[in-house]
């Protein structure tokens, strides 16, 4: 294997590789040649890659032969650009915001390990970049977290956030990606690849390469920067695939995920057709004045100066030849069909919201603005709740595996502590009603203070007991009379303290 060193190759790794990621879709041949040298092959069907390109076009809001097209005006074909409401991106953003936001907590059963995990996630800007990865995964069908050891004590672990076009599955079993390569361009014609293959004992072999394509399609290699190993074994898997929890009905033999709007393309077209027509209605519907050309050209003032009758830049006036019997100026003021377009666009948005899993009335179009109907979500959108919980099943496992991988890379031992995910359900749960119901049960002595906080703050039993105990330790005199002006939760806390004192907890 020929190895070369260049400043470009070394410097790209001294910074963060993920910050230099570029779209390498047009260089699939180079990556395929690289994998071929290792006797490996991407098992993704070629038809799926075509589908990903289609989903990417809709995610960008610029689909060839739809948003840009030609129309014949009676004399010649003219190029037209159709406006887009960008609803494909909106749906992916909404799902990402529901699934992975700042309120989602990855919790480890040991405090020291929790501190390690929190520090790594903070260093990697996880809640921003992770949210963006979920958005892209829901747009393109899947994505991946990939962890590696940097050799830097201050920042020992970095996370790469890989979209679907950077993922090359090498072996899939029962729907699970077993072996996988992740490749992308880090500089012009220079690529980075990390290849993860599972050993017979369940551990993983990781291979890192920086390469380029020389003459005759020959793969040439650059040396890796200091601190990054060419190859090593890991006792745990250092990548996690995330995708919408939806079966691939476009290619049922393909185990890769599908876009959340994969089955909504026709509705997306309908939305953009109506939105573009809405814009055209106002463009063609503005008031115009047709002026006889005989009086619209020039005027002569008292001093003999010749000036245009109308401002030539004024688009209201249109000069044309008229007969002597017609008026010199004729005004045209078309009627706008605003209400009809409003209703048609709202119907299309209702269909779309339902098709991507949010239920009807999720998106509302009013006064020229599209907004999310929060009241509908909180009060009665059980379809979205069920779909959210379905997606969480896939994401939960990926986040737990991510935490275990980070802890392994930092401590060099497999994590034995429990890892759990506290998802943010506030958007689909009426938290005020939940607290009110728990308070009624508490006052009726059906539950104690520990159970109250388990129900209202999503704490496990041990955490809730510790919370009540910490309050007890800070309040040495819980026997004092309850202040009638205090809110209900404060009363629960004080009564819980008194109860715990009496029971000796």
């Amino acid at each position: 294997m020929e190895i070369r060193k260049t400043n470009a190759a070394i410097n790209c790794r001294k910074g963060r590789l993920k910050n230099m990621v570029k779209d390498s879709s047009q260089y699939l041949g180079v990556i395929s040649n690289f994998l071929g040298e290792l006797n490996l092959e991407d098992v993704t069907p070629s038809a799926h890659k075509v589908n990903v390109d289609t989903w990417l076009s809709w995610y960008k809001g610029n689909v060839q032969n739809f948003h840009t097209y030609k129309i014949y005006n009676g004399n010649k074909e003219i190029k037209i650009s159709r406006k887009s409401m960008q609803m494909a991106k909106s749906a992916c953003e909404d799902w990402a915001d529901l699934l992975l936001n700042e309120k989602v907590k990855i919790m480890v059963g040991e405090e020291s390990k929790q501190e390690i995990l929190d520090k790594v996630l903070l260093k990697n800007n996880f809640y921003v970049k992770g949210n963006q990865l979920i958005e892209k995964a829901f747009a393109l069908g899947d994505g991946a977290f990939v962890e590696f050891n940097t050799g830097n004590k201050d920042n020992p672990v970095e996370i790469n956030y890989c979209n679907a076009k950077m993922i090359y599955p090498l072996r899939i079993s029962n729907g699970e990606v077993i072996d996988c390569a992740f490749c992308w361009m880090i500089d012009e014609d220079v690529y980075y690849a990390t290849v993860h293959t599972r050993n017979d004992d369940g551990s993983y072999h990781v291979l890192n390469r920086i390469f380029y394509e020389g003459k005759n399609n020959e793969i040439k290699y650059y040396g890796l920067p200091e601190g990054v190993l060419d190859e090593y074994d890991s006792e745990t898997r250092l990548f996690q695939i995330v995708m919408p929890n939806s079966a691939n009905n476009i290619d049922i033999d393909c185990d890769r995920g599908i876009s959340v709007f994969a089955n909504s393309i026709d509705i997306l077209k309908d939305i953009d057709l109506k939105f573009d027509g809405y814009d055209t209605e106002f463009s063609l519907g503005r008031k115009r004045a047709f002026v006889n050309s005989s009086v619209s050209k020039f005027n002569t003032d008292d001093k003999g100066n010749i000036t245009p009758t109308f401002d030539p830049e004024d688009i209201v006036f249109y000069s044309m030849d008229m007969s002597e019997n017609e008026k010199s100026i004729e005004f045209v003021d078309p009627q706008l069909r605003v209400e009809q377009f409003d209703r048609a666009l709202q119907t299309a948005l209702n269909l779309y919201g339902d098709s991507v899993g949010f239920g009807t009335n999720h998106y509302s179009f009013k006064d020229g603005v599209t907004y999310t109907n929060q009241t509908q979500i909180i009060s009665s959108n059980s379809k979205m709740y069920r779909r959210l919980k379905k997606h969480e099943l896939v994401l939960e496992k990926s986040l737990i595996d991510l935490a275990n991988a980070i802890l392994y890379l930092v401590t060099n031992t497999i994590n034995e502590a429990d890892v759990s995910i506290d998802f943010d359900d506030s958007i689909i749960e009426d938290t005020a009603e939940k607290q009110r119901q728990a308070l009624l049960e508490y006052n009726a002595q059906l539950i104690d203070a520990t159970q109250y906080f388990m129900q209202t703050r999503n704490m496990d039993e041990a955490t809730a007991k510790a919370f009540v105990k910490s309050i007890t330790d800070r309040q040495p005199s819980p026997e004092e009379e309850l202040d009638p002006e205090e809110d209900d939760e404060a009363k629960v806390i004080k009564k819980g303290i008194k109860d715990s004192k009496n029971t000796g907890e």
Side-chain angles (χ1 to χ4, degrees), residues 127-171:
Y127 286 100
V128 173
K129 302 296 290 185
N131 175 276
Q132 293 174 1
L133 177 69
I134 300 300
E135 178 183 327
K136 293 175 184 177
F138 273 61
L140 306 183
D142 52 29
F145 300 109
V146 183
E147 305 80 41
F148 62 92
N149 197 316
T150 64
N152 184 340
K153 292 182 180 180
D154 295 329
N155 186 25
V157 179
E158 285 196 7
I159 305 171
N160 280 324
Y161 305 90
C162 301
N163 65 59
K165 298 179 80 64
M166 298 155 61
I167 301 172
Y168 300 83
L170 307 173
R171 179 162 58 115

Side-chain angles (χ1 to χ4, degrees), residues 184-202:
W184 57 91
M185 196 168 78
I186 56 175
D187 203 351
E188 188 171 355
D189 298 327
V190 179
Y191 305 85
Y192 173 76
T194 178
V195 182
H196 299 243
T197 52
R198 191 166 71 181
N199 301 319
D200 292 338
D201 62 358

